[in-house]
Amino acid sequence: MFITRLISGIILVALALLVNITGGYLLFGTMLVISLIGVFEFNRAIGIEKELPGFISYGGVVFYYVMLLFNKADLIMLSLIVLLVVLLGAYVVTFPKYKSKDFISAFFGVIYVAVMMSCIYRVRILPDGQFLVWLIILSSWGCDTMAYCAGRLFGKRKLAPILSPKKSVEGGIGGVIGAALLGLIYALAINAFADPVISRIWQYPIICAAGAVISQFGDLAASGIKREHEIKDYGRLIPGHGGILDRFDSVIFTSPIIFYLSLWFLK
């Protein structure tokens, strides 16, 4: 199991390197596919993956990404409004076959997975985005690794005993500190290549630490949804890791935080 998980992790990192370094349409298309799979996994967890609300949500993901190509806030907002109107229209037309919660869940799934995950692409197209996009990985997967190590070494108090019994307060703190240190090391490493005005040394650790705090809420939220619907994993797409949502649960929460912090801090 460990070997399978390790090999899958190495492949994921290699793919992340390829896609994020290349950027452009390759990253855009990859995020669209990942978002569609993630929304499908979420819909399957709540039981609407092959129902009308689920099919509308898949169309909503594609429409949202098409609008995202224009990189205009009003068009992005328009795509979400159109999706909500279509979902509510379908609810009215099909009433009482489906419950309102089915359409509400479908809309939530698009926001939760596709919209938040798309911020990886939005970070990448920022000025210096080729450097900034890695802060998402450092503050999510980096935090996961550092929290695991700190928890194994120092963990005593349970962070969320019902949602995730193995996580500890000490591990959570270690994850945040570890992510900040990774951000600092990363800033020092790239400072020779990026504009010093944009990538000042102190900013990356702060951004990574903030992303690490939020990433742990993302992890716990995904665990809560799984427990509520009595499933172990969202899928089996990634050997040793589960589905897209199992591997990207923290990235989903971290991506928009890094996007907006990058906008505010690095103007």
Side-chain angles (χ1 to χ4, degrees):
M1 180 67 176
F2 173 76
I3 297 299
T4 301
R5 185 178 178 87
L6 177 62
I7 293 173
S8 296
I10 293 172
I11 293 173
L12 281 174
V13 171
L15 290 174
L17 282 168
L18 172 64
V19 172
N20 283 319
I21 290 173
T22 305
Y25 289 117
L26 177 61
L27 176 59
F28 177 86
T30 300
M31 296 317 304
L32 171 57
V33 171
I34 288 176
S35 294
L36 281 169
I37 296 172
V39 170
F40 174 80
E41 290 177 352
F42 176 81
N43 288 345
R44 182 169 56 191
I46 62 177
I48 61 169
E49 78 278 13
K50 296 180 181 179
E51 300 294 336
L52 180 61
F55 289 126
I56 294 175
S57 71
Y58 307 141
V61 171
V62 174
F63 184 51
Y64 167 79
Y65 268 86
V66 170
M67 294 297 100
L68 184 62
L69 272 178
F70 296 97
N71 196 29
K72 293 184 180 295
D74 55 342
L75 291 179
I76 293 173
M77 178 62 72
L78 174 64
S79 68
L80 299 179
I81 293 173
V82 168
L83 173 60
L84 181 59
V85 170
V86 172
L87 284 168
L88 290 177
Y91 170 60
V92 170
V93 171
T94 61
F95 187 86
K97 180 177 180 180
Y98 297 103
K99 304 297 182 182
S100 59
K101 66 175 184 177
D102 296 327
F103 293 96
I104 293 171
S105 297
F107 186 74
F108 173 81
V110 174
I111 301 294
Y112 171 51
V113 181
V115 174
M116 295 181 73
M117 193 112 65
S118 72
C119 287
I120 296 175
Y121 172 75
R122 299 184 73 183
V123 170
R124 182 62 177 80
I125 62 177
L126 290 174
D128 258 12
Q130 71 271 30
F131 299 110
L132 296 171
V133 71
W134 296 105
L135 298 181
I136 297 173
I137 304 300
L138 292 175
S139 58
S140 53
W141 292 355
C143 175
D144 287 347
T145 302
M146 296 299 182
Y148 174 79
C149 294
R152 289 294 298 266
L153 291 172
F154 310 109
K156 293 181 179 179
R157 291 169 290 183
K158 300 296 184 182
L159 179 64
I162 298 177
L163 283 179
S164 189
K166 294 183 179 180
K167 295 186 184 299
S168 66
V169 173
E170 294 79 6
I173 294 172
V176 174
I177 295 173
L181 289 174
L182 289 174
L184 176 61
I185 294 170
Y186 178 65
L188 291 170
I190 69 167
N191 197 49
F193 304 100
D195 187 339
V197 175
I198 294 177
S199 58
R200 285 190 286 266
I201 300 300
W202 62 271
Q203 292 172 323
Y204 282 16
I206 293 176
I207 292 174
C208 280
V213 172
I214 299 300
S215 76
Q216 296 185 57
F217 282 98
D219 192 347
L220 291 171
S223 296
I225 294 172
K226 286 191 289 186
R227 286 188 177 276
E228 181 179 344
H229 295 279
E230 300 180 341
I231 58 175
K232 184 179 183 297
D233 294 314
Y234 283 102
R236 298 180 180 178
L237 182 64
I238 308 172
H241 293 270
I244 288 294
L245 294 185
D246 296 296
R247 181 64 275 182
F248 287 85
D249 50 5
S250 56
V251 173
I252 288 173
F253 269 48
T254 304
S255 301
I257 297 301
I258 300 302
F259 174 66
Y260 285 106
L261 286 180
S262 297
L263 287 179
W264 296 335
F265 275 21
L266 307 176
K267 289 182 179 179

